[in-house]
Amino acid sequence: MADSIVIGKRKIGRGFPVYIVAEMSANHKGSLAEAEKIIYAAKAAGADAVKIQTYTPDTLTIDCGNEHFRIRGTLWDGRTLYELYGEAFTPWEWHAQLKQAAQDAGLDFFATSFDFTAVDFLERLGVPAHKVASFEITDIPLLEKIAATGKPVIISTGMSSAAEIEEAVETVRTARGGGIALLKCTSAYPAPPEEMNLLTIADMERRFRLPVGLSDHTPGIEASVAAVALGACIVEKHFTLSRSASGPDSAFSLEPHEFRSMTEAVRNVEKALGEVRYGAGKQEAKSLVFRRSLFVVKDMAKGEIFTGENVRSIRPGYGLPPKHFNEIIGCMAAEDIPRGTPLAWPLVSAKSPEEKREMSTLRRCTNCVIPETHETITFDRKGVCNICLQQEVKASIDWSKKKEEFDALIASCRGRGDYDCIVPFSGGKDSTWTLYYLVREYGLRPLVVRFDHGFLRPNLLENSRRTLRLLGADLHSFTPNWKIVQKLMLQSFLEKGDFCWHCHTGIFAYPMWAAIRFQIPLVIWGEPSAEYTAYYCYGQEEEVDEKRFNRYINLGITAEDMLVRLEGQVDPRDLQPFSYPPLKELRKINCRSVCMGSYIPWDVKRQSKIIEDDLGWTGDEVENVPPGYSYEKIECYLQGVRDYIKYIKRGYTRPAHLASIDIRNGRLTRPEAMALVEQYEGKRPPSLDLFLEHLGLTEEEFLEVSMSHGVSPYRHDPCTVKEGTKTHDFLQWPKYGKMPRNETLQQLERWRRRNRVDKKLAAGA
């Protein structure tokens, strides 16, 4: 987006009202009284500012009548420059009185400066801005003089080439001017419409990244109005009380009623331009009811199958959208439904019991309850998953030797700088245990680094405060720009069916940037990934490095990828906290980044009990998580949504994961685990409403995206979903900061287009 400038109290640029300037020029016809009348008439006609021209014939040219100084082929054919400027100039002794008149009328007042003396004079007068005429754009010393005032500079570009405009802009920037705006103009008097080339306005804004307007010398108002539609944020137009009393500029000046017509048209165009937006506006919303939707068109009994005979897409729009027609067909009525009832999901039951079982039955590990749709999972001949088999490797490790290795690592970094190590910290069970162990076992002085993803819960914040006070540690916390976070969440949800890209990349990348910034060569994380997945196994050395970051953390999307996917909607600098630092920078400090769980055996329940007893750390309710696991994922109030998306994609969620850990540790039998899975999985979390609000999505769009990322052989059936219950702190979760619907739709439509292209390519292959 282009920069903005400020003149008086008005901010000028994209997103602000068009700044309309009445150019007096020579239309005062040598009368101060006429000039003052023009000012008040311009105000009445809707102008925001009045502009004059500050020169004398002698500051612009010399009194000479040879061919070099005689005008040919224009409105002023045959006259000398000196004669024309002598008739047209505004006496300098009028300026103060005209400025006062503009102030009394409520208009900004400034002028075009044509030489150094004019700049000095106008500065003494106290104008809020300077204008540069198109014929002076190549006068670099004059531009430097004007820029040195520190006032905003409006530059008419006229006949200038792109290179000449660039030189003028750089001149003003180098001299630290007070902001720049450019005016597209055609330096012909009057200018024929066919030579206006208004499409250049958008190119100028893109090329120079500045506010762009129009200095319009055409006889009518059409060019000015069209320019606003094309992005012009300034309109400058010559103004006269009457063209009948001809003057040098009368032919291309507007009379008051015409200027009023122009300003009204400009304001109406501004309203019509609005914003990039899809979907119903305020007035259109009343018409949504006339859309088609699904209605029951014949009386139905409970258990009766929906068919094309009893369900139709008709007007009005009170029922489910017609796109759900094929999903509904074959399902059963959840209750008796009379003819003429708009169809809603609560009225729809699952398909036949046999088909329901077919859709939900997944192969599961014969030892734990993790299903075949779990990432990285494989089964041996007995049906035991590779994650359970890793526990055998874990049990065979010589942990005393591993502890010695960890002792040596700690000793190598202790006392080398302001801090002994960095501990990435969320305040959850694992990072709290890591910090507790390092301080109590080793007496380290860590720098605690927290990446605040934006959804920390009240109890989590209190836990963190208590932990840091009791252990005594410095905290460095970073919260990224919420507007950027929203775009990243939506894009990663669209691309991968997981909205946590910003959270995971930030949590793992930002502490590494902190290590470089604070010159701390050791970063100590908590549990290894082998505890839950098979990206690494316990027998492997698991450094928390860029390889792991790209393999396990960032969903296969780098910050550079995200920048491309967002098509310039974010600044590259906004993505730095989510990108892994350059290896050469980490090597400069000999950085090591390791999991403590690779050296100290990890037991979540035992560790949680210790920090509860010693630190007063408390667990919390988490949506759709059994009560016995109150230590799990208490950090994020959108955790229930993430688990729900996982269920839609893979047919299982956190209870299966937690119960499986307890099976491996001998705390739960497999039948007991399956009972928990059946009781707690697959429910719609109340936090989904907040998620949809945060990202500007409808629930239909949410299901569309989530189900597009389904993992075979699981097929999600929305008809089977039941409502989950709210946690005790639900009402404390922030609901403000909604993503504008038009921004959501821009990203959503881009994703849909790419999906269509990908499907066509796949079909062609």
Side-chain angles (χ1 to χ4, degrees):
M1 187 176 181
D3 294 333
S4 59
I5 63 170
V6 177
I7 296 179
K9 296 181 180 179
R10 281 291 305 274
K11 200 163 188 178
I12 302 166
R14 280 277 190 176
F16 302 101
V18 173
Y19 191 65
I20 300 176
V21 181
E23 167 63 79
M24 183 185 300
S25 188
N27 288 319
H28 52 69
K29 304 177 184 69
S31 166
L32 175 58
E34 184 87 353
E36 290 181 322
K37 289 178 183 178
I38 285 175
I39 290 173
Y40 290 105
K43 174 63 177 180
D48 297 304
V50 64
K51 189 186 77 66
I52 63 174
Q53 299 181 4
T54 303
Y55 65 87
T56 68
D58 295 296
T59 63
L60 273 184
T61 188
I62 60 173
D63 187 3
C64 182
N66 69 33
E67 288 304 307
H68 298 300
F69 294 89
R70 200 163 292 280
I71 304 168
R72 299 295 182 194
T74 74
L75 189 66
W76 310 293
D77 197 55
R79 303 183 70 179
T80 67
L81 293 174
Y82 196 86
E83 290 170 349
L84 177 64
Y85 299 149
E87 178 185 352
F89 87 107
T90 302
W92 291 21
E93 58 269 24
W94 294 3
H95 280 46
Q97 193 167 335
L98 296 179
K99 181 174 181 287
Q100 185 60 52
Q103 184 176 323
D104 294 342
L107 294 176
D108 292 329
F109 175 89
F110 62 99
T112 303
S113 306
F114 288 88
D115 76 325
F116 283 24
T117 61
V119 176
D120 292 335
F121 173 76
L122 291 170
E123 278 300 289
R124 290 194 297 273
L125 195 63
V127 296
H130 289 272
K131 170 78 186 299
V132 176
S134 58
F135 295 94
E136 272 64 42
I137 191 172
T138 56
D139 189 341
I140 300 303
L142 178 60
L143 293 178
E144 291 172 338
K145 173 74 172 179
I146 291 172
T149 67
K151 302 282 181 65
V153 184
I154 300 175
I155 304 174
S156 279
T157 56
M159 309 142 287
S160 306
S161 66
E164 288 171 331
I165 298 172
E166 181 66 40
E167 184 179 18
V169 168
E170 285 306 308
T171 298
V172 176
R173 280 177 173 159
T174 301
R176 300 183 181 276
I180 309 168
L182 300 175
L183 299 186
K184 170 72 180 80
C185 90
T186 300
S187 298
Y189 307 91
E194 62 271 20
E195 292 187 19
M196 292 297 289
N197 296 314
L198 296 180
L199 292 177
T200 311
I201 290 171
D203 185 72
M204 287 171 66
E205 185 181 33
R206 177 191 59 78
R207 186 188 297 263
F208 301 109
R209 305 289 293 172
L210 293 170
V212 178
L214 177 71
S215 179
D216 181 13
H217 301 141
T218 62
I221 70 172
E222 296 85 358
S224 292
V225 176
V228 172
L230 292 169
C233 52
I234 301 173
V235 168
E236 179 186 87
K237 190 75 175 174
H238 282 62
F239 186 95
T240 185
L241 295 179
S242 174
R243 282 191 298 274
S244 60
S246 61
D249 300 333
S250 296
F252 50 91
S253 298
L254 296 182
E255 294 181 350
H257 70 282
E258 296 167 328
F259 200 93
R260 164 56 67 183
S261 295
M262 181 193 75
T263 59
E264 290 175 349
V266 164
R267 299 308 177 203
N268 285 332
V269 168
E270 283 182 307
K271 295 175 185 176
L273 285 174
E275 59 185 6
V276 177
R277 176 176 180 162
Y278 301 90
K282 290 181 181 179
Q283 296 300 317
E284 286 179 303
K286 301 173 184 177
S287 300
L288 286 174
V289 67
F290 301 117
R291 279 183 163 182
R292 300 178 80 92
S293 69
L294 298 182
F295 268 77
V296 173
V297 295
K298 290 184 178 180
D299 290 341
M300 293 185 67
K302 180 178 179 180
E304 187 176 344
I305 302 298
F306 290 108
T307 69
E309 295 295 318
N310 52 35
V311 175
R312 284 179 55 198
S313 169
I314 60 174
R315 294 186 182 186
Y318 295 109
L320 289 171
K323 68 180 180 179
H324 295 299
F325 181 81
N326 291 333
E327 296 173 52
I328 299 298
I329 299 305
C331 291
M332 296 182 294
E335 58 188 66
D336 292 343
I337 309 174
R339 179 178 182 269
T341 300
L343 202 54
W345 287 116
L347 300 176
V348 182
S349 184
K351 302 189 178 186
S352 67
E354 293 77 16
E355 188 168 1
K356 179 181 175 183
R357 280 196 295 273
E358 178 187 333
M359 291 175 68
S360 61
T361 301
L362 293 171
R363 181 187 181 190
R364 294 179 185 264
C365 172
T366 55
N367 181 58
C368 70
V369 293
I370 294 295
E372 60 188 311
T373 50
H374 180 71
E375 55 188 332
T376 74
I377 200 167
T378 60
F379 300 102
D380 69 3
R381 291 181 180 179
K382 296 179 181 179
V384 179
C385 74
N386 50 344
I387 300 160
C388 284
L389 294 172
Q390 286 191 45
Q391 301 307 304
E392 298 177 11
V393 178
K394 180 180 179 181
S396 68
I397 291 174
D398 184 346
W399 288 107
S400 60
K401 184 178 179 181
K402 283 288 184 182
K403 175 69 162 56
E404 291 174 3
E405 293 176 14
F406 195 54
D407 292 344
L409 179 62
I410 295 294
S412 69
C413 292
R414 186 193 297 275
R416 287 177 52 186
D418 292 338
Y419 298 96
D420 298 322
C421 66
I422 280 178
V423 177
F425 184 79
S426 67
K429 64 186 187 311
D430 296 309
S431 60
T432 300
W433 167 253
T434 303
L435 179 61
Y436 171 86
Y437 189 86
L438 292 172
V439 172
R440 291 290 169 85
E441 176 73 12
Y442 292 101
L444 293 185
R445 186 173 191 272
L447 175 63
V448 178
V449 176
R450 177 171 64 196
F451 180 90
D452 180 351
H453 48 58
F455 309 103
L456 298 177
R457 294 175 65 185
N459 179 56
L460 182 283
L461 293 171
E462 179 57 30
N463 276 340
S464 301
R465 188 180 300 112
R466 185 187 303 110
T467 296
L468 291 167
R469 287 188 177 184
L470 292 178
L471 293 179
D474 292 350
L475 172 68
H476 172 76
S477 185
F478 172 75
T479 305
N481 182 329
W482 171 244
K483 300 294 186 183
I484 303 301
V485 165
Q486 287 176 299
K487 289 180 171 61
L488 298 177
M489 287 175 64
L490 178 56
Q491 195 63 35
S492 65
F493 176 54
L494 295 172
E495 300 277 352
K496 295 292 183 177
D498 186 340
F499 62 85
C500 295
W501 183 91
H502 86 283
C503 173
H504 294 157
T505 56
I507 284 172
F508 281 92
Y510 187 77
M512 306 308 294
W513 286 108
I516 294 169
R517 177 181 176 184
F518 294 105
Q519 298 289 292
I520 305 170
L522 180 60
V523 182
I524 303 178
W525 307 81
E527 79 279 22
S529 64
E531 191 72 13
Y532 310 122
T533 69
Y535 286 105
Y536 294 86
C537 71
Y538 268 107
Q540 287 178 293
E541 194 74 28
E542 186 175 349
E543 287 268 341
V544 187
D545 55 12
E546 187 171 16
K547 178 181 178 182
R548 183 184 188 269
F549 185 81
N550 292 328
R551 182 180 186 183
Y552 173 50
I553 301 300
N554 69 4
L555 306 176
I557 302 175
T558 66
E560 291 78 11
D561 295 333
M562 190 62 81
L563 187 65
V564 172
R565 283 166 163 80
L566 288 171
E567 296 186 358
Q569 287 186 316
V570 298
D571 189 303
R573 295 172 295 180
D574 294 324
L575 297 181
Q576 192 255 10
F578 310 98
S579 61
Y580 206 81
L583 182 59
K584 65 178 182 179
E585 297 299 323
L586 293 169
R587 282 177 173 168
K588 286 180 182 178
I589 61 170
N590 296 314
C591 188
R592 289 287 306 278
S593 177
V594 301
C595 295
M596 192 170 81
S598 296
Y599 301 92
I600 310 296
W602 213 255
D603 186 336
V604 170
K605 280 203 167 178
R606 181 184 67 83
Q607 294 161 188
S608 298
K609 183 68 168 61
I610 292 173
I611 60 176
E612 286 172 7
D613 292 344
D614 284 14
L615 298 177
W617 187 93
T618 58
D620 214 335
E621 293 178 287
V622 177
E623 291 173 319
N624 302 329
V625 170
Y629 300 96
S630 61
Y631 52 78
E632 178 69 16
K633 291 296 179 184
I634 70 167
E635 299 94 324
C636 177
Y637 67 75
L638 291 184
Q639 184 61 47
V641 178
R642 187 164 190 254
D643 290 342
Y644 183 49
I645 293 170
K646 188 173 189 177
Y647 184 82
I648 294 171
K649 291 162 54 180
R650 298 178 180 270
Y652 82 103
T653 184
R654 194 153 300 276
H657 160 75
L658 295 171
S660 293
I661 293 174
D662 273 354
I663 289 173
R664 296 176 197 130
N665 286 284
R667 300 188 183 110
L668 208 61
T669 66
R670 194 172 187 280
E672 289 171 333
M674 282 304 300
L676 288 176
V677 167
E678 291 175 8
Q679 182 178 355
Y680 288 97
E681 288 197 341
K683 295 180 180 179
R684 181 193 185 278
S687 60
L688 180 60
D689 295 328
L690 296 181
F691 175 80
L692 298 177
E693 184 85 359
H694 287 332
L695 296 192
L697 289 167
T698 66
E699 191 152 355
E700 288 78 11
E701 291 162 348
F702 169 80
L703 284 171
E704 173 194 354
V705 175
S706 299
M707 293 175 69
S708 74
H709 294 284
V711 177
S712 180
Y714 178 69
R715 288 185 296 148
H716 181 66
D717 181 4
C719 304
T720 64
V721 174
K722 297 179 180 179
E723 287 291 326
T725 56
K726 294 178 180 177
T727 61
H728 68 94
D729 60 343
F730 179 81
L731 295 179
Q732 299 178 52
W733 299 348
K735 299 172 179 61
Y736 44 80
K738 179 179 179 180
M739 189 170 185
R741 178 65 176 164
N742 63 295
E743 293 182 14
T744 298
L745 287 171
Q746 280 183 324
Q747 289 185 233
L748 186 61
E749 290 305 316
R750 268 202 312 268
W751 172 76
R752 284 172 172 157
R753 285 198 304 271
R754 288 174 185 155
N755 261 11
R756 287 193 290 268
V757 170
D758 290 344
K759 287 176 181 177
K760 287 180 181 178
L761 291 174

